[in-house]
Amino acid sequence: MYVYNMPYAERKQLCDVLDQNNKWEELGGIHMKFDLITIKKLRNEVVKGNSPTDELLNLWGHLNHTMLELFMLLSRMKHYQAMLIIKDLVDTKYHTLIKGYTNNTEPVNHIPRENFDKSEKKILNLPKIAVQQHSETRDYNESVQMPDIGNLLRPTTRNSKMSTGSNISCVTESAGAIPQIPYDDLKAATNNWDDANILGAGGFGKVFKGTWKCTEVAIKRIEQKENNPEWESVQIKQTITELHCLNAYRHDNILPLYGYSISGHHPCLVYQYMAGGSLEERLKIKDPTKMLTWPKRLKIAIGTARGLQFLHTAGEKGLVHGDIKSANILLDPCDIPRIGDFGLAREGPRQDYTRISKIQGTPPYLPRDFLVSKKFSTKVDTYSFGVVLFELATSMRAASRKEPKKVIYLRDYVFNYEGDVMELKEKLLEGFDEYYLALIDIGKQCVSDKPRLRPEMSLVYEKLSQILKN
Ligand SMILES: Nc1ncnc2c1ncn2[C@@H]1O[C@H](COP(=O)(O)OP(=O)(O)OP(=O)(O)O)[C@@H](O)[C@H]1O
């Protein structure tokens, strides 16, 4: 992992720790070997209310240094507290460099005992949390934020908002060439956030339709929950990830981001307007004259697979989306799919897996092996995509309540169905049995129990395209 890809939570905590007692000066001057003029410039960041460590990491990160290199420099400094913060971003074999740290014992002297214990407990509890989310009140098809981020963060009021110095630099850096839009422009574009313009709502806020610069746009207005710094940190981190990914990965099947705004009351992301709505909504339609036809369903599957194989193989490391579901597949006026919502995406590794410390995503779309082992790889996306194929074939929801206390996942229902699989075909759409059977068959391969049995998305794309050609 490159330093510029360091997740927000770790970066924030590292900055807090290295800003203390000006430890960043030792890191930047002695170990990263920046000259005195640069160090002096960085000192000025303190005066501006910014984090000098954050700026230092920007400078050094731009030189394509990796997290392992940073870990090694911190090891030379014997700064074990800082090493602990980023340990999950480097291979476990290097953890022995942290003095007093083993897998089973807590490190001495450095992180307050209270924090460390909490983090262990939450990590062990994560799969359980995923199950507990299936309460009476929630929609099982929503993504959940497994709440393990808070113990990594100790936000201060000064730094907890999107508009603070270090956040602004993170946001603008991630956005690259994507333009910043004045908040008032967006207010005008939506007729002062008129409710009549609401397209939908997600976990982070509402999405409005608007007209900006003579162009139809969808504006996600991120609504911060008062007095909930943990939630705020999750939002900021995911917004930065979304900006970074949509800036770096552009493709016909990826939702284009036109701009962003951090100058107003709410941070906003401005996307191309998708007149076809989300695939999730379109699959709910029960009027046969308006429903997505079988050829369209197959083409949506092919387009989504095309976008995913691009993400998995583009750039040096590839990108895993991490939240593939019908709600995150948007359709343009010709029903061409565009993958959106990159807040949970992570870069690489292409061949293998990364063991992550926090599980996030939408439970009915996540494989059990990931929930248990936290091994994050392209095969997590393959599995989620398989569930989408089942949705396309059956028009059923990824999770539904069959009995008062029993939630059934579509994956398990279809995968383990013992009767004639034709019984599960969307009944309102006739013909095209070969398309339906291909969606089920390829879907089953994608949702195999074992990650190694799930095909890579490039193969899935080929298989689906072949059906259309036959
Ligand atoms: N670019 C767009 N064009 C048209 N409609 C959109 C666009 N982006 C989002 N929407 C609509 O807004 C809804 C909410 O989107 P959002 O990404 O906030 O939430 P979600 O993906 O449904 O939920 P969550 O992110 O919490 O899992 C979508 O379901 C869709 O109907």
Side-chain angles (χ1 to χ4, degrees):
M1 177 187 275
Y2 291 108
V3 167
Y4 58 71
N5 288 331
M6 189 186 333
Y8 173 80
E10 282 82 354
R11 190 173 173 124
K12 167 79 176 62
Q13 203 186 358
L14 190 64
C15 290
D16 282 353
V17 163
L18 294 177
D19 284 351
Q20 277 170 32
N21 305 325
N22 293 329
K23 278 286 168 195
W24 65 270
E25 283 200 25
E26 183 187 339
L27 177 66
I30 300 173
H31 299 283
M32 293 175 175
K33 306 209 184 308
F34 281 108
D35 57 30
L36 202 58
I37 298 174
T38 310
I39 298 293
K40 274 188 181 161
K41 274 191 192 154
L42 290 173
R43 276 186 205 137
N44 285 338
E45 295 300 322
V46 184
V47 183
K48 292 185 212 158
N50 296 340
S51 156
T53 308
D54 198 37
E55 296 305 322
L56 178 68
L57 292 175
N58 280 345
L59 283 178
W60 199 64
H62 271 129
L63 305 171
N64 282 353
H65 287 290
T66 63
M67 289 307 299
L68 180 57
E69 288 172 84
L70 179 60
F71 192 77
M72 291 303 185
L73 295 188
L74 293 169
S75 165
R76 275 190 223 157
M77 288 170 69
K78 299 192 176 21
H79 202 313
Y80 304 116
Q81 183 181 0
M83 290 169 80
L84 274 166
I85 294 167
I86 60 167
K87 78 173 178 17
D88 289 336
L89 308 175
V90 300
D91 197 297
T92 46
K93 69 182 174 205
Y94 299 105
H95 292 181
T96 47
L97 291 171
I98 306 172
K99 192 180 166 201
Y101 177 80
T102 71
N103 259 345
N104 303 321
T105 60
E106 70 179 84
V108 285
N109 294 337
H110 305 293
I111 274 198
R113 187 189 170 88
E114 191 196 334
N115 281 5
F116 195 78
D117 285 346
K118 259 194 229 160
S119 116
E120 281 291 285
K121 204 169 168 191
K122 285 193 177 176
I123 289 167
L124 288 172
N125 277 342
L126 285 175
K128 265 195 197 157
I129 293 168
V131 175
Q132 283 161 6
Q133 295 286 337
H134 302 164
S135 71
E136 297 283 323
T137 49
R138 72 181 294 276
D139 180 341
Y140 314 101
N141 299 286
E142 276 172 14
S143 46
V144 291
Q145 315 301 325
M146 312 295 184
D148 61 334
I149 196 164
N151 54 39
L152 294 170
L153 296 168
R154 278 172 286 115
T156 59
T157 325
R158 184 176 70 85
N159 276 338
S160 62
K161 297 271 186 230
M162 185 76 82
S163 54
T164 59
S166 72
N167 287 333
I168 288 178
S169 70
C170 252
V171 168
T172 49
E173 189 195 336
S174 304
I178 296 174
Q180 202 178 140
I181 304 174
Y183 186 75
D184 285 346
D185 281 15
L186 301 182
K187 222 169 139 182
T190 54
N191 198 12
N192 201 11
W193 307 111
D194 188 346
D195 281 356
N197 290 339
I198 294 177
L199 290 168
F204 281 1
K206 298 187 182 94
V207 180
F208 292 80
K209 187 179 174 187
T211 306
W212 172 70
K213 293 199 184 293
C214 318
T215 308
E216 285 188 319
V217 290
I219 304 167
K220 187 183 276 189
R221 194 181 72 175
I222 297 162
E223 278 151 27
Q224 291 152 336
K225 290 186 182 168
E226 287 304 319
N227 301 326
N228 193 340
E230 277 186 26
W231 182 246
E232 216 169 69
S233 302
V234 172
Q235 285 180 319
I236 293 169
K237 179 175 178 273
Q238 292 196 15
T239 306
I240 289 170
T241 307
E242 173 113 348
L243 274 166
H244 171 76
C245 294
L246 293 180
N247 175 40
Y249 296 83
R250 298 169 195 222
H251 183 268
D252 286 354
N253 298 109
I254 292 171
L255 182 65
L257 183 71
Y258 286 163
Y260 68 97
S261 168
I262 47 171
S263 58
H265 191 53
H266 299 280
C268 298
L269 295 172
V270 182
Y271 304 92
Q272 189 176 84
Y273 171 63
M274 293 286 117
S278 74
L279 177 60
E280 183 186 47
E281 288 156 9
R282 293 290 294 281
L283 290 175
K284 286 182 195 159
I285 296 174
K286 289 295 164 206
D287 174 350
T289 62
K290 294 184 182 147
M291 288 170 77
L292 290 167
T293 62
W294 286 114
K296 278 206 167 161
R297 286 175 191 234
L298 182 58
K299 283 182 189 157
I300 289 167
I302 294 171
T304 309
R306 194 163 155 257
L308 269 177
Q309 64 79 37
F310 169 80
L311 287 177
H312 290 176
T313 56
E316 201 181 322
K317 293 181 164 184
L319 187 86
V320 181
H321 183 282
D323 200 16
I324 289 297
K325 55 179 176 174
S326 54
N328 288 340
I329 298 171
L330 293 146
L331 304 175
D332 78 0
C334 303
D335 292 329
I336 292 170
R338 309 275 195 148
I339 301 167
D341 218 339
F342 282 70
L344 302 184
R346 279 173 187 249
E347 263 167 349
R350 202 179 286 166
Q351 303 294 343
D352 214 338
Y353 63 82
T354 323
R355 201 183 286 271
I356 59 161
S357 59
K358 43 187 174 280
I359 289 175
Q360 294 173 309
T362 310
Y365 294 88
L366 295 177
R368 180 151 292 278
D369 56 277
F370 169 60
L371 292 170
V372 172
S373 70
K374 303 189 207 88
K375 288 180 182 173
F376 192 66
S377 73
T378 53
K379 300 299 182 75
V380 172
D381 281 351
T382 302
Y383 181 99
S384 312
F385 179 74
V387 178
V388 173
L389 292 185
F390 288 167
E391 291 181 85
L392 283 163
T394 64
S395 301
M396 291 180 203
R397 300 206 71 191
S400 47
R401 191 190 292 279
K402 296 280 175 210
E403 292 163 33
K405 289 204 168 164
K406 198 167 175 198
V407 175
I408 295 190
Y409 284 178
L410 182 60
R411 183 268 176 197
D412 299 335
Y413 187 61
V414 176
F415 196 76
N416 303 323
Y417 195 72
E418 286 178 354
D420 178 359
V421 78
M422 288 306 292
E423 291 166 4
L424 304 180
K425 187 182 169 196
E426 162 59 71
K427 295 198 173 36
L428 298 170
L429 294 172
E430 290 179 350
F432 292 95
D433 285 358
E434 68 282 15
Y435 286 10
Y436 164 76
L437 288 170
L439 293 173
I440 294 285
D441 182 40
I442 299 170
K444 279 189 177 174
Q445 295 168 36
C446 292
V447 298
S448 297
D449 281 321
K450 293 197 169 47
R452 68 182 158 78
L453 297 180
R454 293 173 211 146
E456 285 298 350
M457 285 309 300
S458 47
L459 183 59
V460 175
Y461 168 72
E462 271 174 42
K463 287 183 182 204
L464 287 165
S465 306
Q466 203 52 47
I467 311 297
L468 198 63
K469 284 183 199 146
N470 288 342

